[in-house]
Amino acid sequence: MYYVTALGELLIDFTSIENPEQGNTYFEQNPGGAPANLAACISKLGGKTAFIGKVGKDMFGSFLSEVLIKHGVDTAGLKFSEEHNTTLAFVKCDKRGERTFTFYRNPGADTCLTPAEIDFKLIDSSRIFHFGSLSMTDEPARSATLKALEYAKSKNLIISYDPNLRMALWKSSDQALREITSVLSMVDILKVSEEELEFITGMGDNEKGSNLLFDKYGISLILVTRGDKGCYYRFGDITGSKPAFRNIKVIDTTGAGDAFLGGFLYYIVSKGVLKMEDIDKELLENSIVFANAVAALCTTKRGGIPAMPNINEVKNLINGDI
């Protein structure tokens, strides 16, 4: 049984590295894509995961497939496109590790996943189905995403969703808002950054914004990641926050949000959660502390998948041994 089956983009992050001696910048090839990052994170922590998506039949696609296999992610749902190349993202980091993106995806293979290519057996064998919004920017991947989502919902899986807003990949902000919100009524666990929460709700206040989402869509659990300020949560009428781990050196924040949610999902499944009703406040807050530790460790290395920590590293940080 898989902890999580994740559907969405799998791509190359070319992460910028400054070279002061020569006065130029070079780019390091790293495997990425938010749903793939999450699947690899959970697998590295010790959970079983599967991935559904599409890459090009090119050197980058082969590399990405090998990376997922190396990290223990089931790639039975990974398809290869003969017509379209693997999506590339060039990531520039500032001195604080914050990023800006330039994408080569017009179209990328990840947007060309069709409904007929979905491996439903992977969903059947999972506790949680996870997806993001970037597989809904274009057809046919949008229809494939919705078909998989509806199937997972019909099988009573916990539904996890990360909007992961990247405006450069949408035709307009109106389209982004429309598509991102179109699935919220089917979601059990929503992970958003403060910026994404404000984009979706028009509110800069975490309490008010999360309350609007809970009232309007009935989302059981809303996790608002706040960078070095930790995480705010709303679980029905229960709200609270947990601080971030600060005794680490931030190098690159790529994949930190995916690491957070991956850590959270790993923790709740490892504790036997089968439905949202199995979660109480103590388990929820312990899960968030664990997730904050996973995210913090991810920021200490460059890239997404390569930066994901193992379970011992996470335990050591929580216990104060790092």
Side-chain angles (χ1 to χ4, degrees), residues 9 12 37 60 77 115 130 132 145 208 211 217 245 259 319 322:
E9 68 276 10
I12 300 291
N37 290 343
F60 298 123
H130 173 76
T145 302
K208 292 179 180 178
N211 189 55
Y217 300 104
F245 287 83
N319 294 331
I322 291 182

Side-chain angles (χ1 to χ4, degrees), residues 109-277:
D110 62 296
T111 69
C112 300
L113 181 73
T114 67
E117 292 174 315
I118 300 295
D119 188 338
F120 293 101
K121 295 189 297 294
L122 298 176
I123 299 174
D124 283 331
S125 302
S126 299
R127 305 285 193 203
I128 297 173
F129 175 74
H130 173 76
F131 72 111
S133 69
L134 296 189
S135 57
M136 298 191 294
T137 60
D138 298 275
E139 291 289 358
R142 177 183 178 275
S143 293
T145 302
L146 296 178
K147 186 171 183 178
L149 171 61
E150 290 164 0
Y151 184 83
K153 194 70 175 177
S154 74
K155 294 296 181 176
N156 297 315
L157 272 67
I158 292 174
I159 306 298
S160 165
Y161 179 44
D162 176 8
N164 193 31
L165 185 64
R166 297 284 180 265
M167 285 308 305
L169 296 178
W170 296 94
K171 295 177 178 66
S172 68
S173 60
D174 288 342
Q175 183 211 15
L177 183 60
R178 182 174 64 252
E179 295 298 339
I180 286 170
T181 57
S182 69
V183 295
L184 288 177
S185 61
M186 302 178 72
V187 171
D188 298 303
I189 299 173
L190 174 69
K191 196 284 291 182
V192 287
S193 67
E194 290 185 299
E195 294 77 14
E196 288 159 351
L197 180 65
E198 184 170 1
F199 175 78
I200 293 169
T201 66
M203 297 180 178
D205 181 276
N206 291 334
E207 183 174 353
K208 292 179 180 178
S210 63
N211 189 55
L212 184 151
L213 291 179
F214 174 68
D215 285 344
K216 186 173 183 178
Y217 300 104
I219 302 167
S220 297
L221 174 60
I222 300 165
L223 300 166
V224 184
T225 52
R226 308 172 64 220
D228 62 5
K229 294 178 286 186
C231 173
Y232 172 90
Y233 69 83
R234 175 176 291 278
F235 188 47
D237 293 330
I238 302 171
T239 62
S241 62
K242 285 292 177 181
F245 287 83
R246 292 178 173 271
N247 53 329
I248 48 98
K249 181 181 179 181
V250 176
I251 293 176
D252 179 11
T253 59
T254 301
D258 310 321
F260 172 88
L261 187 54
F264 183 88
L265 298 181
Y266 165 82
Y267 193 91
I268 64 171
V269 177
S270 71
K271 297 302 180 182
V273 170
L274 299 176
K275 54 187 183 300
M276 295 305 293
E277 292 77 11

Side-chain angles (χ1 to χ4, degrees), residues 41 43-46 266 290 293-294 297 308-322:
C41 173
S43 181
K44 193 165 183 181
L45 290 170
Y266 165 82
F290 183 89
V294 177
L297 288 166
M308 297 303 170
N310 62 45
I311 190 68
N312 289 330
E313 291 172 318
V314 177
K315 288 179 178 178
N316 287 340
L317 180 58
I318 292 172
N319 294 331
D321 297 334
I322 291 182

